[in-house]
Amino acid sequence: MAYLRTIILSLLIYLALTMNLETSNIVAGLLIGAGVAVLTRPTRTHVPLRRLPQGIIVFFVYVALLALDVIRSGVNVARIVLDPKLPIRPGVIAIKSDMRSELGTALSAHAITITPGEMVIEIGDDGTMYTHCLDVVNSSAGADAAQAKRREMLEKIFD
């Protein structure tokens, strides 16, 4: 049942992205969905309905905060690049994920990587995310607080 759900969800996403309901495209979407299901090996999970509304609300707050971080970081990177002195202090910092699952660590690394000026270059066996930053001084100052906020929100969504 989990495989079927994954195939159907992948098909719907594919059809929404392509905006093409021809038979050949539907077949292609089914094949892509089957491939996604085989690669991800979905498992059946039980989601308590009483936690679902809170999870949905936290998800939208998480996406909004992530969008604000992307915009804020983009402005900072543009400011750095446009400055004639190019005041960059590149370096690598270690950020402890402290997540219970690999999915949480991966989503947290994704949130860091999509913000301009920072990129997770490696995740250690203990969940430490080694992150390259354009300005290591400013990034290291707020990294732990930002990770704690991400961890709290992701745990409310997925746990």
Short mmCIF file of all heavy atoms in Angstrom, two decimals, residues 61-113:
data_model
loop_
_atom_site.label_atom_id
_atom_site.label_comp_id
_atom_site.label_asym_id
_atom_site.label_seq_id
_atom_site.Cartn_x
_atom_site.Cartn_y
_atom_site.Cartn_z
N VAL A 61 4.81 27.32 8.44
CA VAL A 61 5.67 28.28 9.13
C VAL A 61 7.14 28.00 8.77
O VAL A 61 7.91 28.92 8.50
CB VAL A 61 5.45 28.22 10.65
CG1 VAL A 61 6.50 29.04 11.40
CG2 VAL A 61 4.06 28.71 11.00
N TYR A 62 7.51 26.72 8.73
CA TYR A 62 8.88 26.32 8.38
C TYR A 62 9.23 26.79 6.96
O TYR A 62 10.29 27.36 6.73
CB TYR A 62 9.02 24.81 8.49
CG TYR A 62 10.37 24.27 8.07
CD1 TYR A 62 11.47 24.38 8.91
CD2 TYR A 62 10.54 23.65 6.84
CE1 TYR A 62 12.70 23.90 8.54
CE2 TYR A 62 11.77 23.16 6.45
CZ TYR A 62 12.85 23.28 7.31
OH TYR A 62 14.07 22.81 6.93
N VAL A 63 8.33 26.58 6.02
CA VAL A 63 8.57 27.00 4.63
C VAL A 63 8.68 28.52 4.55
O VAL A 63 9.55 29.05 3.85
CB VAL A 63 7.46 26.46 3.70
CG1 VAL A 63 7.54 27.09 2.32
CG2 VAL A 63 7.55 24.95 3.60
N ALA A 64 7.84 29.24 5.28
CA ALA A 64 7.90 30.71 5.27
C ALA A 64 9.22 31.20 5.85
O ALA A 64 9.86 32.11 5.29
CB ALA A 64 6.72 31.29 6.04
N LEU A 65 9.64 30.62 6.98
CA LEU A 65 10.91 31.03 7.58
C LEU A 65 12.09 30.68 6.68
O LEU A 65 13.06 31.44 6.58
CB LEU A 65 11.08 30.38 8.96
CG LEU A 65 10.17 30.92 10.05
CD1 LEU A 65 10.36 30.14 11.34
CD2 LEU A 65 10.41 32.40 10.27
N LEU A 66 12.00 29.54 6.00
CA LEU A 66 13.05 29.15 5.07
C LEU A 66 13.12 30.14 3.90
O LEU A 66 14.22 30.54 3.47
CB LEU A 66 12.80 27.74 4.57
CG LEU A 66 13.89 27.09 3.74
CD1 LEU A 66 15.20 27.04 4.50
CD2 LEU A 66 13.46 25.69 3.34
N ALA A 67 11.98 30.56 3.39
CA ALA A 67 11.95 31.54 2.31
C ALA A 67 12.56 32.87 2.77
O ALA A 67 13.32 33.51 2.03
CB ALA A 67 10.52 31.75 1.81
N LEU A 68 12.25 33.29 3.99
CA LEU A 68 12.84 34.53 4.53
C LEU A 68 14.35 34.40 4.66
O LEU A 68 15.09 35.35 4.37
CB LEU A 68 12.21 34.87 5.88
CG LEU A 68 10.81 35.46 5.83
CD1 LEU A 68 10.26 35.61 7.24
CD2 LEU A 68 10.82 36.80 5.12
N ASP A 69 14.83 33.24 5.11
CA ASP A 69 16.27 33.01 5.22
C ASP A 69 16.94 33.08 3.86
O ASP A 69 18.04 33.62 3.73
CB ASP A 69 16.56 31.65 5.88
CG ASP A 69 16.36 31.67 7.38
OD1 ASP A 69 16.28 32.77 7.96
OD2 ASP A 69 16.31 30.57 7.98
N VAL A 70 16.31 32.51 2.85
CA VAL A 70 16.87 32.54 1.50
C VAL A 70 16.97 33.99 1.00
O VAL A 70 18.00 34.40 0.45
CB VAL A 70 16.04 31.68 0.53
CG1 VAL A 70 16.43 31.92 -0.91
CG2 VAL A 70 16.19 30.20 0.87
N ILE A 71 15.93 34.76 1.22
CA ILE A 71 15.93 36.16 0.78
C ILE A 71 16.98 36.97 1.55
O ILE A 71 17.77 37.71 0.96
CB ILE A 71 14.52 36.79 0.94
CG1 ILE A 71 13.56 36.13 -0.05
CG2 ILE A 71 14.57 38.30 0.74
CD1 ILE A 71 12.10 36.45 0.22
N ARG A 72 16.99 36.80 2.86
CA ARG A 72 17.95 37.52 3.70
C ARG A 72 19.39 37.17 3.32
O ARG A 72 20.24 38.04 3.17
CB ARG A 72 17.68 37.20 5.18
CG ARG A 72 18.38 38.11 6.14
CD ARG A 72 18.01 37.81 7.60
NE ARG A 72 16.58 37.75 7.78
CZ ARG A 72 15.94 36.72 8.39
NH1 ARG A 72 16.61 35.71 8.86
NH2 ARG A 72 14.65 36.74 8.52
N SER A 73 19.67 35.90 3.14
CA SER A 73 21.02 35.47 2.77
C SER A 73 21.38 35.94 1.37
O SER A 73 22.53 36.30 1.11
CB SER A 73 21.12 33.95 2.85
OG SER A 73 20.97 33.50 4.17
N GLY A 74 20.41 35.94 0.47
CA GLY A 74 20.66 36.43 -0.89
C GLY A 74 21.07 37.90 -0.90
O GLY A 74 21.98 38.30 -1.62
N VAL A 75 20.40 38.70 -0.08
CA VAL A 75 20.74 40.12 0.03
C VAL A 75 22.15 40.28 0.61
O VAL A 75 22.95 41.09 0.13
CB VAL A 75 19.69 40.88 0.87
CG1 VAL A 75 20.15 42.27 1.22
CG2 VAL A 75 18.36 40.92 0.14
N ASN A 76 22.47 39.47 1.64
CA ASN A 76 23.81 39.57 2.23
C ASN A 76 24.89 39.16 1.24
O ASN A 76 25.94 39.81 1.18
CB ASN A 76 23.89 38.69 3.49
CG ASN A 76 23.17 39.30 4.66
OD1 ASN A 76 22.94 40.51 4.70
ND2 ASN A 76 22.78 38.48 5.61
N VAL A 77 24.67 38.11 0.48
CA VAL A 77 25.65 37.67 -0.51
C VAL A 77 25.79 38.73 -1.60
O VAL A 77 26.92 39.04 -2.02
CB VAL A 77 25.27 36.30 -1.11
CG1 VAL A 77 26.12 35.97 -2.32
CG2 VAL A 77 25.42 35.21 -0.06
N ALA A 78 24.69 39.31 -2.03
CA ALA A 78 24.77 40.38 -3.04
C ALA A 78 25.55 41.57 -2.50
O ALA A 78 26.36 42.17 -3.22
CB ALA A 78 23.36 40.81 -3.46
N ARG A 79 25.33 41.90 -1.24
CA ARG A 79 26.06 43.01 -0.62
C ARG A 79 27.55 42.72 -0.58
O ARG A 79 28.38 43.59 -0.87
CB ARG A 79 25.51 43.24 0.80
CG ARG A 79 25.89 44.57 1.38
CD ARG A 79 25.28 44.81 2.74
NE ARG A 79 23.83 44.74 2.66
CZ ARG A 79 23.04 44.39 3.66
NH1 ARG A 79 23.55 44.07 4.83
NH2 ARG A 79 21.74 44.37 3.51
N ILE A 80 27.91 41.48 -0.24
CA ILE A 80 29.32 41.10 -0.20
C ILE A 80 29.95 41.17 -1.58
O ILE A 80 31.04 41.70 -1.78
CB ILE A 80 29.48 39.68 0.40
CG1 ILE A 80 29.17 39.70 1.89
CG2 ILE A 80 30.87 39.12 0.16
CD1 ILE A 80 29.07 38.32 2.52
N VAL A 81 29.25 40.63 -2.58
CA VAL A 81 29.79 40.58 -3.94
C VAL A 81 29.92 41.98 -4.55
O VAL A 81 30.87 42.26 -5.28
CB VAL A 81 28.91 39.66 -4.82
CG1 VAL A 81 29.30 39.77 -6.28
CG2 VAL A 81 29.02 38.23 -4.34
N LEU A 82 28.98 42.85 -4.26
CA LEU A 82 29.00 44.19 -4.85
C LEU A 82 29.93 45.15 -4.13
O LEU A 82 30.23 46.23 -4.64
CB LEU A 82 27.58 44.76 -4.89
CG LEU A 82 26.61 44.03 -5.81
CD1 LEU A 82 25.21 44.60 -5.67
CD2 LEU A 82 27.09 44.07 -7.25
N ASP A 83 30.41 44.80 -2.95
CA ASP A 83 31.35 45.64 -2.21
C ASP A 83 32.70 45.63 -2.93
O ASP A 83 33.22 44.56 -3.24
CB ASP A 83 31.51 45.11 -0.79
CG ASP A 83 32.24 46.08 0.12
OD1 ASP A 83 33.06 46.87 -0.38
OD2 ASP A 83 32.01 46.02 1.33
N PRO A 84 33.28 46.81 -3.20
CA PRO A 84 34.56 46.84 -3.92
C PRO A 84 35.70 46.12 -3.18
O PRO A 84 36.62 45.61 -3.80
CB PRO A 84 34.88 48.33 -4.05
CG PRO A 84 33.65 49.06 -3.69
CD PRO A 84 32.77 48.12 -2.92
N LYS A 85 35.62 46.04 -1.86
CA LYS A 85 36.68 45.38 -1.08
C LYS A 85 36.48 43.87 -1.01
O LYS A 85 37.38 43.15 -0.59
CB LYS A 85 36.71 45.95 0.34
CG LYS A 85 37.07 47.41 0.38
CD LYS A 85 36.98 47.95 1.78
CE LYS A 85 37.20 49.45 1.76
NZ LYS A 85 36.86 50.07 3.03
N LEU A 86 35.29 43.37 -1.40
CA LEU A 86 34.93 41.95 -1.35
C LEU A 86 35.28 41.34 0.01
O LEU A 86 36.17 40.52 0.14
CB LEU A 86 35.61 41.18 -2.48
CG LEU A 86 35.04 39.80 -2.79
CD1 LEU A 86 33.60 39.92 -3.29
CD2 LEU A 86 35.87 39.08 -3.82
N PRO A 87 34.56 41.77 1.06
CA PRO A 87 34.91 41.36 2.42
C PRO A 87 34.43 39.94 2.76
O PRO A 87 33.49 39.75 3.53
CB PRO A 87 34.17 42.39 3.28
CG PRO A 87 32.96 42.71 2.48
CD PRO A 87 33.40 42.65 1.04
N ILE A 88 35.07 38.94 2.18
CA ILE A 88 34.69 37.57 2.50
C ILE A 88 35.74 36.96 3.42
O ILE A 88 36.92 37.29 3.37
CB ILE A 88 34.49 36.70 1.24
CG1 ILE A 88 35.79 36.57 0.45
CG2 ILE A 88 33.40 37.25 0.36
CD1 ILE A 88 35.72 35.55 -0.66
N ARG A 89 35.25 36.12 4.30
CA ARG A 89 36.10 35.35 5.20
C ARG A 89 35.63 33.91 5.11
O ARG A 89 34.92 33.43 6.00
CB ARG A 89 35.98 35.88 6.62
CG ARG A 89 36.49 37.32 6.76
CD ARG A 89 36.17 37.86 8.10
NE ARG A 89 34.72 38.07 8.20
CZ ARG A 89 34.14 39.02 8.89
NH1 ARG A 89 34.85 39.86 9.57
NH2 ARG A 89 32.84 39.15 8.92
N PRO A 90 35.98 33.22 4.01
CA PRO A 90 35.46 31.87 3.82
C PRO A 90 36.05 30.88 4.82
O PRO A 90 37.14 31.07 5.35
CB PRO A 90 35.88 31.53 2.39
CG PRO A 90 37.07 32.38 2.13
CD PRO A 90 36.88 33.63 2.93
N GLY A 91 35.28 29.84 5.07
CA GLY A 91 35.74 28.80 5.97
C GLY A 91 34.68 27.72 6.12
O GLY A 91 33.60 27.81 5.56
N VAL A 92 35.03 26.71 6.90
CA VAL A 92 34.13 25.60 7.15
C VAL A 92 33.82 25.56 8.64
O VAL A 92 34.73 25.65 9.47
CB VAL A 92 34.77 24.27 6.69
CG1 VAL A 92 33.88 23.09 7.04
CG2 VAL A 92 35.05 24.29 5.19
N ILE A 93 32.54 25.44 8.95
CA ILE A 93 32.12 25.31 10.34
C ILE A 93 31.41 23.97 10.51
O ILE A 93 30.89 23.40 9.56
CB ILE A 93 31.20 26.47 10.79
CG1 ILE A 93 29.91 26.53 9.95
CG2 ILE A 93 31.94 27.79 10.75
CD1 ILE A 93 28.90 27.53 10.45
N ALA A 94 31.41 23.46 11.73
CA ALA A 94 30.72 22.21 12.05
C ALA A 94 29.44 22.55 12.81
O ALA A 94 29.46 23.28 13.79
CB ALA A 94 31.61 21.32 12.90
N ILE A 95 28.32 22.03 12.30
CA ILE A 95 27.03 22.25 12.94
C ILE A 95 26.47 20.90 13.35
O ILE A 95 26.25 20.03 12.50
CB ILE A 95 26.04 22.96 11.97
CG1 ILE A 95 26.62 24.28 11.48
CG2 ILE A 95 24.70 23.18 12.65
CD1 ILE A 95 25.81 24.93 10.37
N LYS A 96 26.23 20.70 14.64
CA LYS A 96 25.64 19.45 15.12
C LYS A 96 24.15 19.45 14.77
O LYS A 96 23.44 20.37 15.09
CB LYS A 96 25.79 19.32 16.64
CG LYS A 96 27.22 19.22 17.13
CD LYS A 96 27.84 17.90 16.81
CE LYS A 96 27.41 16.87 17.80
NZ LYS A 96 27.95 15.56 17.55
N SER A 97 23.71 18.37 14.11
CA SER A 97 22.30 18.34 13.71
C SER A 97 21.42 17.96 14.89
O SER A 97 20.32 18.47 15.04
CB SER A 97 22.08 17.38 12.55
OG SER A 97 22.06 16.05 12.99
N ASP A 98 21.86 17.04 15.73
CA ASP A 98 21.09 16.57 16.89
C ASP A 98 19.69 16.08 16.51
O ASP A 98 18.76 16.16 17.31
CB ASP A 98 20.98 17.65 17.97
CG ASP A 98 22.31 17.96 18.61
OD1 ASP A 98 23.16 17.04 18.69
OD2 ASP A 98 22.51 19.11 19.04
N MET A 99 19.53 15.63 15.28
CA MET A 99 18.25 15.10 14.82
C MET A 99 18.17 13.62 15.16
O MET A 99 19.17 12.93 15.22
CB MET A 99 18.09 15.30 13.31
CG MET A 99 18.14 16.74 12.87
SD MET A 99 16.83 17.78 13.51
CE MET A 99 15.47 17.23 12.55
N ARG A 100 16.94 13.13 15.35
CA ARG A 100 16.73 11.71 15.67
C ARG A 100 16.79 10.83 14.44
O ARG A 100 17.01 9.64 14.55
CB ARG A 100 15.39 11.53 16.35
CG ARG A 100 15.33 12.13 17.72
CD ARG A 100 14.02 11.80 18.38
NE ARG A 100 13.54 13.01 19.03
CZ ARG A 100 12.31 13.25 19.33
NH1 ARG A 100 11.38 12.39 19.02
NH2 ARG A 100 11.98 14.36 19.93
N SER A 101 16.54 11.40 13.27
CA SER A 101 16.48 10.59 12.06
C SER A 101 17.38 11.16 10.98
O SER A 101 17.76 12.34 11.01
CB SER A 101 15.04 10.54 11.54
OG SER A 101 14.66 11.82 11.07
N GLU A 102 17.71 10.30 10.02
CA GLU A 102 18.50 10.75 8.87
C GLU A 102 17.70 11.72 8.01
O GLU A 102 18.26 12.63 7.41
CB GLU A 102 18.95 9.56 8.04
CG GLU A 102 20.03 8.73 8.71
CD GLU A 102 20.50 7.58 7.83
OE1 GLU A 102 20.00 7.43 6.69
OE2 GLU A 102 21.37 6.83 8.30
N LEU A 103 16.38 11.53 7.94
CA LEU A 103 15.53 12.44 7.19
C LEU A 103 15.63 13.85 7.77
O LEU A 103 15.75 14.83 7.03
CB LEU A 103 14.07 11.98 7.20
CG LEU A 103 13.06 12.92 6.55
CD1 LEU A 103 13.34 13.08 5.07
CD2 LEU A 103 11.65 12.43 6.77
N GLY A 104 15.58 13.97 9.08
CA GLY A 104 15.70 15.28 9.71
C GLY A 104 17.03 15.93 9.43
O GLY A 104 17.11 17.14 9.14
N THR A 105 18.11 15.15 9.49
CA THR A 105 19.43 15.68 9.18
C THR A 105 19.51 16.11 7.72
O THR A 105 20.05 17.17 7.40
CB THR A 105 20.52 14.63 9.48
OG1 THR A 105 20.44 14.26 10.86
CG2 THR A 105 21.90 15.16 9.19
N ALA A 106 18.95 15.30 6.82
CA ALA A 106 18.98 15.64 5.40
C ALA A 106 18.18 16.91 5.11
O ALA A 106 18.62 17.77 4.34
CB ALA A 106 18.44 14.47 4.57
N LEU A 107 17.01 17.05 5.73
CA LEU A 107 16.20 18.25 5.50
C LEU A 107 16.87 19.49 6.10
O LEU A 107 16.79 20.58 5.53
CB LEU A 107 14.80 18.07 6.08
CG LEU A 107 13.90 17.09 5.31
CD1 LEU A 107 12.60 16.86 6.06
CD2 LEU A 107 13.63 17.60 3.91
N SER A 108 17.52 19.31 7.22
CA SER A 108 18.25 20.42 7.82
C SER A 108 19.43 20.84 6.94
O SER A 108 19.67 22.03 6.72
CB SER A 108 18.73 20.02 9.21
OG SER A 108 19.25 21.12 9.89
N ALA A 109 20.14 19.85 6.40
CA ALA A 109 21.26 20.15 5.49
C ALA A 109 20.74 20.83 4.23
O ALA A 109 21.38 21.75 3.70
CB ALA A 109 21.99 18.86 5.13
N HIS A 110 19.58 20.41 3.75
CA HIS A 110 18.97 21.05 2.58
C HIS A 110 18.65 22.50 2.87
O HIS A 110 18.91 23.39 2.04
CB HIS A 110 17.70 20.29 2.18
CG HIS A 110 16.94 20.94 1.10
ND1 HIS A 110 15.87 21.77 1.36
CD2 HIS A 110 17.07 20.92 -0.25
CE1 HIS A 110 15.39 22.22 0.22
NE2 HIS A 110 16.09 21.72 -0.77
N ALA A 111 18.09 22.78 4.04
CA ALA A 111 17.75 24.15 4.39
C ALA A 111 18.99 25.03 4.46
O ALA A 111 18.95 26.19 4.05
CB ALA A 111 17.02 24.17 5.74
N ILE A 112 20.09 24.48 4.93
CA ILE A 112 21.34 25.24 4.98
C ILE A 112 21.86 25.48 3.57
O ILE A 112 22.28 26.57 3.23
CB ILE A 112 22.39 24.51 5.84
CG1 ILE A 112 21.95 24.49 7.31
CG2 ILE A 112 23.76 25.15 5.70
CD1 ILE A 112 22.78 23.59 8.19
N THR A 113 21.83 24.45 2.74
CA THR A 113 22.43 24.52 1.42
C THR A 113 21.68 25.46 0.47
O THR A 113 22.30 26.12 -0.36
CB THR A 113 22.55 23.11 0.81
OG1 THR A 113 23.38 22.32 1.67
CG2 THR A 113 23.16 23.14 -0.57
#
